[in-house]
DNA sequence: TCCTCGCCAGAGAGCGCTCCCCGAGCGGCT
DNA sequence: AGCCGCTCGGGGAGCGCTCTCTGGCGAGGA
């Protein structure tokens, strides 16, 4: 089953290849009756342009690589971040007529693969998601000169990004706990090679600084399991704590579980705040207070950043504001 | 910044284009010293083959479309299914040297886009995810003759798929509830145009049939919110119920919330079983008993089905077995 | 009436690659 | 020694498209 080519369509319509090409590409300098007859031929033959041939000569691919980079153990694997972001990004890129080439950069091998692919000019631009702060990939990709934008800040300073106000959001959460009269407020932080994690921790410290309260920090990796484990450690270190700020909701969910097992009532004994306001936050028992940072908006902003860059426009980081959603856990 | 071509590499290495092509494509009929000198030239120039040119002549694209089809309201949007499946699929396809082109088929427009894209021969095969039973897309795509495999069964009978034993799994869950001595066992079903939902409901009915118990069914759409709502309705319809089987974990989580609000203790007053055993199931309060159906395995099986098909091999549906994971909720 | 200008269709040269085919070279057999 | 056959490198056509350039033709001005 061979697909018709431009030439076949031209023959059918009784015009030249050039004219068919012009019509197909929507150029205006075509007489109406020619356009008409060409369009009919296209329809009758079910003609679809061969993208490979077109790319070969135009040097455009109409494709964008969406690179999702996190370690194999999958810090974000079951994270709503992945689905939310990838979906929002796809939808937006498709609306802009771009194909989405999804690439996972987990191992060193796949990183090299991504780099070669991008350097090979198979895409018009690159969209980065979920990068470790120490990951060399963004810098390597930036060196190819390919237009690029990142969901959240990365280690490469010149890669434009859309991010949320992590520091401000964390401070918001902690101040809320202080207002509720909590005195010993612990934090569960994410992996500190991630900018989000560092900034959220900074916001926690900042808010606490003014209050004269001591900071108590346990390290997690943004997964539920790590949140549960960190909570166990916090309870051991300071049994008198009466509040916890978790750097993301998944860890907050893990913390809730540990608290329940330890017989602590939430929020009576210990108040809990999360970050991200994922959908699951409204379904925990008790429902989780969380800092809402609209990931979909952030994803869309990143896409627009990238599209602007591809068009040759300028780019400046975008910061998405966030707000506190108060539920039962505080 | 222009990339080097085959010809440039050939000149540098002092051999013909043909030889370079052979080396690059790993053909064996090349003398070692030629291979050596070519490889060095490739390295020195940073040569990367132009995929467009290659595709143009070989008619292979080394790309696979992963089509995720669900309505815009996003039945699976926050569903771990999306991230788990898309990740597993990507990883497996990348290992096989295929590019992953992610396409969402939500609106009619995007469905048409997918169809045109596939018909246009831009990919070597199609992988279908999350399709409604009544969706005309699988049949339309099947008509293009493109190799295709589906994650879960679809309405098009001749599309090979990898699925789980939905009927058996549901029956497993319900029999477990019966063994626990439950007498009024309700079900929350998913949207009935999905095969999974229909089959799981069938399993519920089948297991109940032998026991002389009545079935009580409420309709959900696989989201948490719908599970919560369905549970409210079930409590209203039959306040004496003492167990619920939810067709997926997300709805079970919603149901748990409603039960908590209604002051019913789980599992003392009402036992709850879910389906899928997503990671969150271990973190609900109380932790959720669920039918484990390894989605990643299923995704991988689907990929292998597709790859086999692309290679021209035969194909027969694969059914992944499942097991019951018993936790606190029953 | 003739020339110029503008507009629009057609011709054709590549884009970078693969792959068929040819021919050179060499070893083994008669 | 001559011939056959086999291995392996090179030449070059052609994949389907775009885009520049050319050419034809009608309109308008001198």
């Amino acid at each position: 089953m061979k697909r018709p080519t431009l030439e076949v369509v031209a023959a059918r319509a009784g015009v030249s290849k050039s004219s068919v090409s012009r019509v197909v590409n929507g150029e205006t300098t075509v007489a109406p009756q020619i356009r008409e007859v060409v369009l009919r031929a296209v329809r009758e033959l079910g003609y679809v342009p061969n993208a490979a041939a077109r790319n070969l000569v135009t040097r455009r691919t109409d494709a964008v690589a969406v690179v999702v980079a996190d370690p194999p153990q999958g810090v974000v694997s079951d994270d709503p971040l992945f689905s939310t972001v990838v979906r929002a990004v796809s939808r937006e890129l498709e609306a802009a007529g771009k194909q989405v080439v999804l690439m996972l950069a987990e191992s060193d091998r796949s990183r090299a693969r991504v780099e070669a692919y991008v350097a090979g000019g198979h895409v018009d631009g690159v969209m980065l998601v979920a990068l470790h702060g120490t990951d060399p990939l963004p810098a390597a990709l930036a060196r190819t000169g390919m237009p690029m934008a990142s969901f959240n800040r990365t280690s490469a300073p010149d890669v434009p990004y859309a991010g949320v106000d992590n520091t401000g959001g964390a401070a918001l959460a902690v101040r809320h706990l202080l207002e509720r009269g909590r005195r010993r407020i612990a934090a569960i932080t994410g992996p500190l090679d991630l900018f989000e994690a560092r900034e959220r921790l900074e916001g926690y410290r900042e808010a606490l600084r003014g209050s004269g309260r001591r900071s108590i920090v346990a390290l997690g990796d943004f997964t539920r399991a790590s949140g549960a484990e960190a909570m166990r450690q916090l309870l051991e270190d300071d049994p008198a704590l009466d509040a916890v700020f978790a750097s993301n909701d998944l860890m907050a969910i893990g913390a809730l579980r540990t608290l329940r097992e330890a017989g602590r009532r939430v929020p009576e004994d210990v108040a809990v705040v999360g970050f991200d306001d994922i959908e699951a936050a409204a379904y925990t028992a008790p429902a989780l207070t969380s800092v809402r940072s609209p990931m979909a908006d952030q994803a869309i902003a990143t896409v627009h950043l990238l599209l602007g860059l591809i068009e040759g426009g300028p780019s400046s980081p975008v910061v998405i504001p966030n707000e506190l959603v108060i539920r039962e856990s505080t």
Side-chain angles (χ1 to χ4, degrees), chain A:
Chain A
M1 198 184 95
K2 198 139 164 27
R3 293 192 297 127
T5 69
L6 243 202
E7 195 147 15
V8 174
V9 175
R12 172 89 168 213
V15 299
S16 74
K17 283 164 49 183
S18 313
S19 297
V20 177
S21 175
R22 276 189 272 263
V23 170
V24 168
N25 289 293
E27 278 177 48
T28 50
T29 64
V30 183
Q33 71 273 25
I34 289 214
R35 144 162 291 122
E36 200 48 50
V37 71
V38 167
L39 286 179
R40 184 171 36 234
V42 165
R43 225 174 304 120
E44 288 172 358
L45 294 169
Y47 171 71
V48 182
N50 179 317
R54 178 179 280 173
N55 297 349
L56 182 56
V57 35
T58 60
R59 260 97 226 300
R60 278 182 308 95
T61 61
D62 287 331
V64 165
V66 175
V67 177
V68 179
D70 70 344
Q73 59 267 36
V75 164
V76 302
S77 60
D78 181 34
D79 197 321
L81 181 137
F82 182 81
S83 50
T84 307
V85 171
V86 170
R87 264 168 184 275
V89 163
S90 298
R91 199 170 299 145
E92 209 62 19
L93 284 172
E94 287 190 4
K98 300 281 184 191
Q99 291 314 319
V100 176
V101 178
L102 185 68
M103 311 194 80
L104 305 183
E106 298 174 328
S107 60
D108 283 348
R109 224 186 64 235
S110 61
R111 278 185 158 65
R113 207 177 116 92
V114 169
E115 217 178 307
Y117 190 75
V118 170
H122 301 298
V123 288
D124 296 343
V126 180
M127 164 104 197
L128 256 30
V129 180
L131 278 150
H132 274 240
T134 54
D135 197 316
L137 192 60
L141 291 178
R143 239 175 287 124
T144 65
M146 187 65 70
M148 181 159 51
S150 168
F151 181 90
N152 280 336
R153 206 169 136 197
T154 65
S155 54
D158 43 352
V159 176
Y161 64 93
V164 296
D165 179 9
N166 290 305
T167 316
L172 204 62
V174 175
R175 276 200 301 272
H176 166 69
L177 292 170
L178 287 168
E179 279 162 22
R180 285 282 200 257
R182 304 292 164 158
R183 340 198 82 230
R184 307 193 65 85
I185 303 175
I188 301 177
T189 175
L192 292 177
D193 51 350
L194 250 51
F195 274 96
E196 305 94 278
R198 285 220 290 278
E199 292 174 353
R200 288 173 191 185
L201 179 59
E202 174 53 27
Y204 160 79
R205 292 222 160 99
E206 196 180 296
L208 232 46
R209 199 141 38 217
S211 72
R213 310 254 176 253
R214 247 187 52 222
S215 66
I216 324 166
V217 177
L219 186 67
D221 65 5
F222 277 159
T223 62
R224 293 185 190 83
S226 77
E229 178 54 35
M231 190 69 238
R232 270 189 285 277
Q233 202 178 312
L234 287 173
L235 285 176
E236 204 166 293
D237 292 355
D238 189 345
L241 63 81
D242 59 3
V244 180
F245 162 65
S247 280
N248 76 348
D249 286 345
L250 252 26
M251 293 195 300
I253 288 171
L256 284 177
R257 169 138 208 94
T258 297
L259 288 169
R260 184 161 162 273
E261 283 168 1
R264 310 286 175 116
R265 289 166 306 157
V266 177
E268 295 83 349
D269 302 332
V270 181
V272 179
V273 187
F275 203 118
D276 288 343
D277 190 32
I278 61 177
E279 201 189 326
Y283 287 88
T284 56
L288 188 66
T289 294
S290 185
V291 179
R292 176 181 197 75
S293 58
M295 281 190 194
D297 294 353
Q298 190 187 347
I300 292 170
T302 313
V303 169
H304 288 300
L305 217 51
L306 179 61
L307 292 176
L309 239 45
I310 291 176
E311 298 303 321
S315 71
S316 49
V318 175
V319 174
I320 309 281
N322 40 35
E323 56 175 322
L324 191 67
V325 179
I326 299 172
R327 298 205 181 82
E328 304 160 6
S329 70
T330 56

